[in-house]
Amino acid sequence: MPRLIPSAPQFTTASEQEVWTRLRDGLGPDDVLIANLRLTDETKDHEADLVVLMPDVGIVVVEVKGGSVWHDGDRWLISRNGRPTVIHPVDQVRGTKYAIRNYVGHDERWSRRNHVAWGHAVVTPYSAFDDEFDLPECPRWMLHDRDDQHDLVTRLRDNAARQQHGKLPPTADEVDLIVEILTGRLTTRYDINADSDERAAAADRLTQEQSAILGVTRLLHRVEVRGGAGSGKTVLALQQAKQLTKGRSGQRPQRVAMLCYSLGLAEYLKREVQSWNRKERPAFVGTFHEFGRQWGAPDGDRTDSDFWERRLPALMSDLADDLPQSKKYDAVIVDEAQDFADDWWQPVLKSLRDENESGLFVYSDENQRIFARFGRPPVHLVPLVLDHNLRNTRQIHETFGPLAPSRMYARGGEGPGVRFLPAEAGDALAVADDAIDALLDEGWKAGNVCLLTTGRRHPIQVERTDFHDQSGYWETFFDDDDVFYGHVLGCKGLERRAVVLCVNESSVQERSRERLYVGMSRATDELIVVGDPKVIRDMGGLEVAKRLGIE
């Protein structure tokens, strides 16, 4: 059997199907049979019913005409709906032959090769012509009628030989190259990132639609927006910062500060804001600690938790007392507010121009409380709840759904199933590294991939942190050319399209459930969880274990 392209073509007429079947059964294993080849050039659209490529013999482009076909001495005709219709089969197949030949000849891979012989033929499987039939444009050996079908392959080989016109028949390698050119000069493959791009665009649209909720806050100045992972809180917080800074309809522009706890989220917020028009950028964007630094607060030892959580806020509170009104803010927006300690809210409130009337807008998810501290602002906030997950695929959302504080509705689209790879704590990093390699082999761009740990940090994270300072390390999160290695403690508010979550712990620790929730929800499109089945079951409960396929 010859090589068939395509392997099982669909035909619009029984005549084309019959001729194709006859050639399929009669051609040799080195031959190639192409069906329904469509080609467009500058003059018109062409379609070859069949193209037969025979190494060391020749190439024949075939036009099949079913039904009753005849020549009245002047014109070719065919019966359609009982009426004769003029056709031009020879002109048609000859023009198609030249179009195909020119297309192949213009390929740079073909330009240095010898010109090969191209032929054409007309096949009428149901109509007969006299053996003496002959036209200048169509000698009898080029026309293969009803009575010629039993030896059609032999006749096409002779047809090809007669049309060499001093040129060479194609070699086997040349036939392979012609096939490669005719089936696409640049082959493509499934791109997993393209599907992800489409889901991201849909999520962006849904998030922008959801921003209508900000209209509710126009007459409110103390609001808490609560929502689970994937609900679009950070996008809304950014949108609100832009609106307040620019001045919403009927309101004056405001001096706005936008705060968060983690360096990674702060870097993301800064990059987003930097892309805006200058009149839309808040006066301050950064971490709580950077907020104090602008007033002269000192840096501290990162390991001294008492300094960061108690002494620094007290010092910032004193510094805020001495701020002139011009340095204070009309509104403060806090993202991932569940990370703020009790003592942090006092300097935040003192930074407002009017502690009673200036705006305080808090975005939080209490189920992401992965630190022992947890403080609430000592003022009344009007709660607004986001209950739609817009970012994670349905498969990811449903897997971590039992960990969420309240029921949410998945609107993030369809994606691949969540995968679980069992590994003891000591082997988890190695298994996770292999999973990263597998994602890259599947076609994921490195900049879309992330490995997160729940226990000790990955060696690459340690290396990058040692090489850069903390700010430099977090800048690598936005590197499009490399996989990011991080820890769930620092990645709240951030996301990657494909995440390997490495649960490299041998037992349940304090707030393990929350860390599992944060880690699983960082993936928007594809999630692989690595860890000890028993540990993960103890962390997430039976329902999460069941959804991961853990017995």
Side-chain angles (χ1 to χ4, degrees), residues 298-527:
D299 291 328
D301 184 345
R302 290 185 58 82
T303 64
D304 186 356
S305 60
D306 184 68
F307 170 80
W308 297 109
E309 296 185 18
R310 298 191 181 279
R311 302 198 311 272
L312 176 62
L315 178 57
M316 288 173 60
S317 185
D318 291 340
L319 292 169
D321 286 333
D322 297 330
L323 285 176
Q325 283 292 101
S326 61
K327 296 294 185 181
K328 291 193 174 187
Y329 296 90
D330 298 302
V332 173
I333 298 170
V334 180
D335 194 20
E336 299 293 347
Q338 72 278 351
D339 292 342
F340 275 38
D342 267 324
D343 292 345
W344 294 9
W345 292 106
Q346 197 60 39
V348 169
L349 292 172
K350 287 188 175 183
S351 73
L352 295 171
R353 286 176 172 165
D354 187 326
E355 290 189 35
N356 296 315
E357 296 298 327
S358 294
L360 179 62
F361 303 94
V362 171
Y363 291 77
S364 66
D365 178 2
E366 292 189 13
N367 216 50
Q368 294 192 53
R369 290 168 49 190
I370 57 179
F371 301 106
R373 63 175 182 270
F374 177 67
R376 296 192 60 83
V379 295
H380 175 70
L381 300 173
V382 176
L384 297 176
V385 178
L386 306 177
D387 59 0
H388 287 178
N389 184 325
L390 310 177
R391 291 281 161 183
N392 308 100
T393 63
R394 178 184 61 81
Q395 289 78 2
I396 294 173
H397 169 81
E398 291 182 351
T399 304
F400 71 72
L403 300 171
S406 59
R407 177 170 175 76
M408 294 184 67
Y409 302 92
R411 298 185 65 190
E414 297 293 320
V418 175
R419 289 180 269 177
F420 173 68
L421 303 177
E424 295 183 358
D427 300 325
L429 281 178
V431 174
D433 285 338
D434 290 342
I436 290 291
D437 291 339
L439 288 173
L440 298 177
D441 289 342
E442 290 168 12
W444 279 107
K445 295 178 182 177
N448 287 335
V449 179
C450 174
L451 189 155
L452 296 178
T453 59
T454 63
R456 63 187 176 89
R457 296 181 298 168
H458 192 285
I460 294 180
Q461 180 184 0
V462 175
E463 177 184 316
R464 290 180 181 175
T465 305
D466 290 344
F467 182 78
H468 305 280
D469 57 16
Q470 280 291 324
S471 296
Y473 161 72
W474 279 108
E475 288 178 4
T476 67
F477 181 86
F478 305 94
D479 187 347
D480 291 335
D481 299 323
D482 210 348
V483 176
F484 180 76
Y485 294 82
H487 194 282
V488 294
L489 292 178
C491 286
K492 285 192 301 178
L494 301 175
E495 60 190 35
R496 276 280 169 107
R497 298 187 181 186
V499 172
V500 176
L501 176 62
C502 180
V503 184
N504 54 337
E505 300 171 88
S506 58
S507 62
V508 176
Q509 307 296 320
E510 183 180 6
R511 302 204 176 278
S512 287
R513 181 180 177 88
E514 289 82 356
R515 292 204 301 276
L516 185 64
Y517 170 61
V518 171
M520 293 176 70
S521 60
R522 296 311 91 199
T524 60
D525 294 79
E526 183 146 4
L527 173 63

Side-chain angles (χ1 to χ4, degrees), residues 189-232:
R189 64 173 185 170
Y190 168 69
D191 184 355
I192 198 168
N193 302 278
D195 281 351
S196 178
D197 288 340
E198 183 176 21
R199 283 191 290 269
D204 288 342
R205 177 180 55 79
L206 289 170
T207 304
Q208 290 304 316
E209 291 175 1
Q210 183 172 259
S211 65
I213 196 175
L214 296 178
V216 177
T217 70
R218 194 171 68 86
L219 300 178
L220 302 173
H221 64 279
R222 299 289 165 92
V223 177
E224 179 180 14
V225 180
R226 301 172 186 168
S231 59

Side-chain angles (χ1 to χ4, degrees), residues 164-185:
Q164 288 183 4
H165 299 159
K167 297 181 181 179
L168 299 174
T171 65
D173 287 342
E174 288 171 332
V175 165
D176 288 342
L177 180 54
I178 292 171
V179 169
E180 184 178 336
I181 293 171
L182 291 180
T183 54
R185 295 185 176 178

Side-chain angles (χ1 to χ4, degrees), residues 32-53:
V32 179
L33 178 59
I34 302 176
N36 301 327
L37 177 65
R38 293 180 174 85
L39 186 149
T40 298
D41 59 19
E42 295 84 352
T43 60
K44 61 182 290 186
D45 296 328
H46 305 270
E47 180 174 0
D49 293 334
L50 300 168
V51 180
V52 183
L53 300 103

